[in-house]
Short mmCIF file of all heavy atoms in Angstrom, two decimals:
data_model
loop_
_atom_site.label_atom_id
_atom_site.label_comp_id
_atom_site.label_asym_id
_atom_site.label_seq_id
_atom_site.Cartn_x
_atom_site.Cartn_y
_atom_site.Cartn_z
N ASP K 78 4.99 -32.04 40.47
CA ASP K 78 4.44 -30.76 40.67
C ASP K 78 4.11 -30.31 42.04
O ASP K 78 3.15 -29.65 42.31
CB ASP K 78 3.21 -30.54 39.86
CG ASP K 78 3.39 -30.71 38.29
OD1 ASP K 78 4.56 -31.02 37.94
OD2 ASP K 78 2.47 -30.58 37.58
N PHE K 83 0.47 -24.92 43.51
CA PHE K 83 -0.59 -25.95 43.83
C PHE K 83 -0.73 -26.21 45.30
O PHE K 83 -1.48 -27.00 45.71
CB PHE K 83 -0.04 -27.26 43.13
CG PHE K 83 -0.05 -27.22 41.63
CD1 PHE K 83 1.13 -27.45 40.99
CD2 PHE K 83 -1.11 -26.87 40.83
CE1 PHE K 83 1.33 -27.37 39.57
CE2 PHE K 83 -1.02 -26.77 39.58
CZ PHE K 83 0.14 -27.00 38.88
N LEU K 89 -3.19 -21.92 41.69
CA LEU K 89 -4.02 -22.95 41.53
C LEU K 89 -3.91 -24.09 42.69
O LEU K 89 -3.62 -25.13 42.51
CB LEU K 89 -3.58 -23.57 40.11
CG LEU K 89 -4.47 -24.80 39.50
CD1 LEU K 89 -5.98 -24.65 39.73
CD2 LEU K 89 -4.10 -24.99 38.11
N ASP K 116 5.63 -28.06 36.72
CA ASP K 116 4.82 -27.27 35.69
C ASP K 116 5.41 -25.94 35.51
O ASP K 116 5.83 -25.29 36.32
CB ASP K 116 3.52 -27.14 36.28
CG ASP K 116 2.26 -27.23 35.39
OD1 ASP K 116 2.39 -28.02 34.40
OD2 ASP K 116 1.34 -26.39 35.55
N HIS K 118 5.19 -23.01 32.91
CA HIS K 118 4.45 -22.30 31.76
C HIS K 118 5.08 -20.95 31.37
O HIS K 118 5.37 -20.18 32.29
CB HIS K 118 2.99 -22.11 32.05
CG HIS K 118 2.30 -23.43 32.20
ND1 HIS K 118 2.27 -24.43 31.37
CD2 HIS K 118 1.43 -23.80 33.32
CE1 HIS K 118 1.49 -25.43 31.85
NE2 HIS K 118 1.01 -25.02 32.97
N TRP K 148 -7.20 -22.77 33.05
CA TRP K 148 -6.80 -22.65 34.47
C TRP K 148 -6.51 -21.18 34.66
O TRP K 148 -6.18 -20.43 33.69
CB TRP K 148 -5.59 -23.60 34.61
CG TRP K 148 -5.80 -24.92 34.34
CD1 TRP K 148 -5.28 -25.60 33.23
CD2 TRP K 148 -6.47 -25.90 35.09
NE1 TRP K 148 -5.66 -26.98 33.24
CE2 TRP K 148 -6.44 -27.13 34.39
CE3 TRP K 148 -7.27 -25.80 36.31
CZ2 TRP K 148 -7.03 -28.28 34.85
CZ3 TRP K 148 -7.82 -27.09 36.75
CH2 TRP K 148 -7.70 -28.20 36.07
N HIS K 151 -0.86 -19.80 36.26
CA HIS K 151 -0.19 -20.61 37.33
C HIS K 151 1.24 -21.03 36.79
O HIS K 151 1.43 -21.31 35.64
CB HIS K 151 -0.90 -21.91 37.77
CG HIS K 151 -1.08 -22.83 36.77
ND1 HIS K 151 -2.03 -22.73 35.79
CD2 HIS K 151 -0.53 -24.02 36.44
CE1 HIS K 151 -1.98 -23.83 34.90
NE2 HIS K 151 -0.92 -24.58 35.40
N LYS K 176 7.79 -29.02 32.30
CA LYS K 176 6.78 -29.33 31.21
C LYS K 176 5.82 -28.30 31.08
O LYS K 176 5.56 -27.50 32.01
CB LYS K 176 6.10 -30.73 31.64
CG LYS K 176 5.37 -30.73 32.98
CD LYS K 176 4.83 -31.98 33.44
CE LYS K 176 4.15 -31.92 34.69
NZ LYS K 176 3.00 -30.93 34.79
N ASP K 183 -0.56 -27.89 26.38
CA ASP K 183 -0.42 -28.15 27.88
C ASP K 183 0.34 -29.47 27.98
O ASP K 183 0.50 -30.26 27.00
CB ASP K 183 -1.77 -28.20 28.48
CG ASP K 183 -1.64 -27.82 29.98
OD1 ASP K 183 -0.65 -27.60 30.45
OD2 ASP K 183 -2.60 -27.77 30.73
N TYR K 185 0.05 -32.26 31.19
CA TYR K 185 -0.22 -32.66 32.53
C TYR K 185 0.82 -33.77 32.74
O TYR K 185 1.38 -33.97 33.78
CB TYR K 185 -1.56 -33.32 32.58
CG TYR K 185 -2.79 -32.32 32.38
CD1 TYR K 185 -3.96 -32.70 31.78
CD2 TYR K 185 -2.61 -31.05 32.93
CE1 TYR K 185 -5.00 -31.90 31.68
CE2 TYR K 185 -3.70 -30.14 32.72
CZ TYR K 185 -4.87 -30.50 32.17
OH TYR K 185 -5.94 -29.74 32.05
N LEU K 216 0.97 -33.68 42.96
CA LEU K 216 -0.19 -32.89 42.72
C LEU K 216 -0.31 -32.73 41.15
O LEU K 216 0.67 -32.58 40.47
CB LEU K 216 0.05 -31.52 43.37
CG LEU K 216 0.47 -31.54 44.77
CD1 LEU K 216 0.83 -30.10 45.24
CD2 LEU K 216 -0.66 -32.07 45.76
N ALA K 217 -1.66 -32.72 40.74
CA ALA K 217 -2.82 -33.18 41.42
C ALA K 217 -3.05 -34.58 41.04
O ALA K 217 -3.04 -34.97 39.99
CB ALA K 217 -3.87 -32.22 41.14
N PHE K 220 -5.04 -34.85 37.72
CA PHE K 220 -4.53 -34.40 36.42
C PHE K 220 -3.09 -34.87 36.27
O PHE K 220 -2.86 -35.86 35.69
CB PHE K 220 -4.73 -32.84 36.50
CG PHE K 220 -6.22 -32.41 36.24
CD1 PHE K 220 -6.97 -32.24 37.32
CD2 PHE K 220 -6.65 -32.32 35.00
CE1 PHE K 220 -8.36 -31.96 37.18
CE2 PHE K 220 -8.04 -32.05 34.77
CZ PHE K 220 -8.88 -31.88 35.88
N CYS K 221 -2.08 -34.10 36.79
CA CYS K 221 -0.68 -34.42 36.37
C CYS K 221 -0.31 -35.75 36.93
O CYS K 221 0.54 -36.43 36.32
CB CYS K 221 0.17 -33.28 36.80
SG CYS K 221 0.00 -31.81 35.71
N ILE K 246 -7.51 -32.02 42.55
CA ILE K 246 -8.36 -30.98 42.34
C ILE K 246 -9.87 -31.31 42.31
O ILE K 246 -10.67 -30.65 42.95
CB ILE K 246 -7.98 -30.37 40.84
CG1 ILE K 246 -6.60 -29.77 40.87
CG2 ILE K 246 -9.06 -29.28 40.45
CD1 ILE K 246 -6.00 -29.43 39.45
C1 VGL P 38 -1.86 -29.31 36.89
C2 VGL P 38 -3.57 -28.26 36.09
C3 VGL P 38 -2.89 -27.48 35.32
C4 VGL P 38 -1.28 -30.45 37.78
C5 VGL P 38 -0.98 -28.56 36.18
O1 VGL P 38 -0.16 -30.35 38.23
O2 VGL P 38 -2.06 -31.36 38.14
N1 VGL P 38 -3.11 -29.24 36.83
N2 VGL P 38 -1.48 -27.57 35.36
#
Side-chain angles (χ1 to χ4, degrees):
D78 296 4
F83 300 114
L89 182 39
D116 211 37
H118 300 306
W148 304 105
H151 65 280
K176 61 186 181 60
D183 206 0
Y185 296 145
L216 306 170
F220 288 90
C221 291
I246 294 173

